Amino acid sequence: MPSYSYTANGFFFTTALWVLLIRLFTELPRSITAVGWANMPDNDYNRIVSGLFILMMMVGIVFLRRLQVRFALQQVLMFGGAVLLFYTALAVHTFNQLGMSYTGIGVVIMRYLMEILVAVFFWNYVRSTRDLGKIRSIFFMPALLLIFLISYLQIATSSFEDVQGVERLIGPFGNPNVLAAFMHFFIVATIVLYGRERGIKFWTLLGAQYILLFYTGSMTMILSHLVFLFFIGMANRWYKSKLFYYAAVVIIPSVIAVIIAQADAILARLAVLFNTETFELHSGSSIVWRMEAWASYLSLLDTPLKWLFGLGIGTQRAIFLNDYPGSLTHIFEAPGTHNDYLGILVDFGLIGLMLFFIGLRALLRYLRSLEHIDPTTRYLRYFLYSLLFAMLSENLLDQLSMSLSILILVSFCKTVYLQKHETGIA
């Protein structure tokens, strides 16, 4: 019986990783069409595979029967379920009043449900560092190699997507900002999963990923990654290391050479943000667009009750979405707030924003408690800081990159948690 149980657990764990790997590349047909390689049918594979992944995790959790979740966390999950139900009902009320289709509510619920199930599933199915090794071999490395293959092939063939007059790398995801978010995640995951090895493989993987990150031209994610590196540098006191200054002698001239070589592309990207001659914001600036979007979203909160409770889950994604049935595109057009804090405020109100920061504080305290057992955990905390910075101008909370971040965070913390209890550390 124990052998059967172990085999079944291994089956659910391995299969879930394979399905997640497939889900990661469901936007590939759209990417192939965007760069002009072929005209692929625009099918919504991501929802189909996301549904399969959610079903796989739910069956796996039910099959396991006994969840390894503390009583306090069970209460948190039950409370979270009640909150989700309340805000779903609130969204139905909002969408009904505006005459909008309910589809957007279901889409966002599916995304949040995936994140919750990823946390619960992998906390229960990761039983040792060996399982962390499976995540590396079954999901992480194949995913990274496929991203390398597609992205570097696009670079070699100059197959970029024109975004506001700037040619940008999109990789297999159909959007340069999405590729940048994944590169930021994969770089951090490489440091967490392979950091102890520090061999040629480690540095090659990092170098290849940094090239792709800069090729995306995503200002937000590049700056966010610099925030991550800043915390690493301060914690490791790079400024006191001679190697840091020796490396600077090589890195700084290399960066200057790249800037000179790519001057036209860099200026074109900056021109989207501001006038590069006068440094003034112009009407087509993405910064001005964001400010207008934020003002439009805030105008929706026109009563104290709406400020307190928000408009319901999924509202910020659908209410200004172009071609969405019943959306208020006559006021503004946007696929989201481009600010996760504002997104929480619109969907969940001040109560939701308060709950978010309470949960965030608890998570950061937990990560700190694990750092004296495995110092590598601190990289996850720095990663969270960088995401908090990125959330100022992007919507990341309901994206697939967030589900992957939760997977690595939960899986790694579970191995540290097991190490803590095996050694009897309080």
Side-chain angles (χ1 to χ4, degrees):
M1 188 69 178
S3 175
Y4 167 77
S5 177
Y6 176 80
T7 304
N9 288 350
F11 167 78
F12 280 111
F13 184 73
T14 303
T15 306
L17 289 174
W18 279 114
V19 174
L20 182 59
L21 181 63
I22 295 170
R23 171 60 185 91
L24 183 62
F25 293 97
T26 51
E27 295 290 340
L28 182 57
R30 195 169 297 170
S31 175
I32 290 173
T33 302
V35 298
W37 284 350
N39 189 16
M40 302 289 289
D42 190 16
N43 294 315
D44 203 359
Y45 297 117
N46 55 359
R47 292 188 192 179
I48 297 172
V49 182
S50 292
L52 180 61
F53 182 52
I54 288 171
L55 181 62
M56 184 75 204
M57 290 189 292
M58 290 177 69
V59 172
I61 291 170
V62 171
F63 178 85
L64 194 63
R65 294 184 184 177
R66 190 176 63 185
L67 299 179
Q68 301 175 21
V69 180
R70 291 182 178 181
F71 178 76
L73 188 53
Q74 288 177 347
Q75 305 308 305
V76 170
L77 290 174
M78 291 177 63
F79 174 73
V83 169
L84 185 63
L85 187 62
F86 170 78
Y87 280 104
T88 300
L90 185 58
V92 170
H93 172 71
T94 299
F95 279 47
N96 183 58
Q97 278 193 324
L98 297 173
M100 292 170 58
S101 167
Y102 298 134
T103 308
I105 302 174
V107 170
V108 176
I109 288 176
M110 178 180 283
R111 294 175 180 178
Y112 283 130
L113 181 60
M114 182 189 293
E115 293 173 1
I116 294 169
L117 288 174
V118 163
V120 175
F121 181 88
F122 285 95
W123 181 267
N124 285 279
Y125 273 85
V126 171
R127 305 292 183 88
S128 66
T129 53
R130 191 169 133 189
D131 292 323
L132 203 60
K134 286 183 180 179
I135 293 174
R136 284 181 15 167
S137 60
I138 296 174
F139 174 79
F140 182 81
M141 190 52 67
L144 199 51
L145 292 178
L146 281 171
I147 292 172
F148 285 164
L149 174 64
I150 296 164
S151 300
Y152 279 103
L153 189 57
Q154 289 178 359
I155 293 173
T157 58
S158 297
S159 301
F160 303 109
E161 184 178 29
D162 187 282
V163 181
Q164 295 178 299
V166 181
E167 291 189 334
R168 297 173 64 185
L169 181 68
I170 62 175
F173 305 117
N175 185 295
N177 294 327
V178 174
L179 175 60
F182 279 118
M183 283 300 94
H184 178 46
F185 158 76
F186 274 104
I187 289 171
V188 176
T190 300
I191 294 171
V192 172
L193 297 176
Y194 294 90
R196 291 186 177 89
E197 299 175 11
R198 300 289 174 95
I200 296 177
K201 177 182 177 182
F202 173 78
W203 294 111
T204 303
L205 286 176
L206 278 186
Q209 290 175 83
Y210 274 113
I211 291 172
L212 295 185
L213 176 61
F214 286 111
Y215 254 101
T216 65
S218 174
M219 298 295 184
T220 298
M221 296 316 302
I222 290 173
L223 289 174
S224 299
H225 195 76
L226 290 177
V227 170
F228 172 73
L229 292 178
F230 170 79
F231 280 104
I232 292 180
M234 294 301 293
N236 294 335
R237 299 187 178 184
W238 286 349
Y239 53 88
K240 290 188 176 181
S241 170
K242 290 183 180 179
L243 182 61
F244 173 75
Y245 295 100
Y246 292 149
V249 173
V250 177
I251 293 173
I252 292 175
S254 299
V255 171
I256 293 173
V258 169
I259 291 174
I260 294 172
Q262 298 292 326
D264 292 340
I266 293 171
L267 286 173
R269 181 70 185 101
L270 291 175
V272 176
L273 303 176
F274 54 83
N275 187 310
T276 53
E277 295 181 358
T278 64
F279 297 101
E280 295 178 350
L281 297 176
H282 51 76
S283 58
S285 167
S286 60
I287 297 175
V288 172
W289 181 89
R290 277 174 166 79
M291 291 178 178
E292 293 174 351
W294 297 340
S296 298
Y297 277 104
L298 284 173
S299 69
L300 299 172
L301 305 175
D302 52 7
T303 67
L305 279 177
K306 288 179 181 178
W307 274 96
L308 191 60
F309 295 106
L311 299 172
I313 189 168
T315 301
Q316 63 99 4
R317 280 295 189 185
I319 200 163
F320 292 140
L321 184 62
N322 191 29
D323 293 330
Y324 187 85
S327 62
L328 306 181
T329 50
H330 62 280
I331 297 176
F332 197 79
E333 290 186 15
T337 55
H338 281 70
N339 181 309
D340 269 323
Y341 305 105
L342 179 57
I344 295 171
L345 185 63
V346 171
D347 279 6
F348 305 105
L350 290 170
I351 290 178
L353 200 58
M354 180 185 67
L355 291 175
F356 170 77
F357 284 114
I358 290 173
L360 178 66
R361 182 173 181 271
L363 176 59
L364 290 172
R365 288 182 64 182
Y366 182 69
L367 290 176
R368 283 184 177 276
S369 72
L370 296 180
E371 288 176 23
H372 69 282
I373 303 167
D374 190 333
T376 303
T377 311
R378 72 182 187 272
Y379 296 127
L380 295 173
R381 180 163 57 86
Y382 303 153
F383 178 52
L384 280 179
Y385 294 152
S386 70
L387 291 182
L388 292 174
F389 176 82
M391 285 164 57
L392 289 169
S393 63
E394 294 291 345
N395 290 118
L396 299 176
L397 283 179
D398 60 355
Q399 295 296 300
L400 182 60
S401 59
M402 185 61 69
S403 292
L404 299 187
S405 301
I406 292 171
L407 185 154
I408 293 298
L409 187 148
V410 167
S411 301
F412 188 83
C413 287
K414 179 61 182 295
T415 61
V416 179
Y417 170 85
L418 293 172
Q419 181 184 346
K420 172 182 176 180
H421 287 270
E422 284 173 4
T423 56
I425 300 175

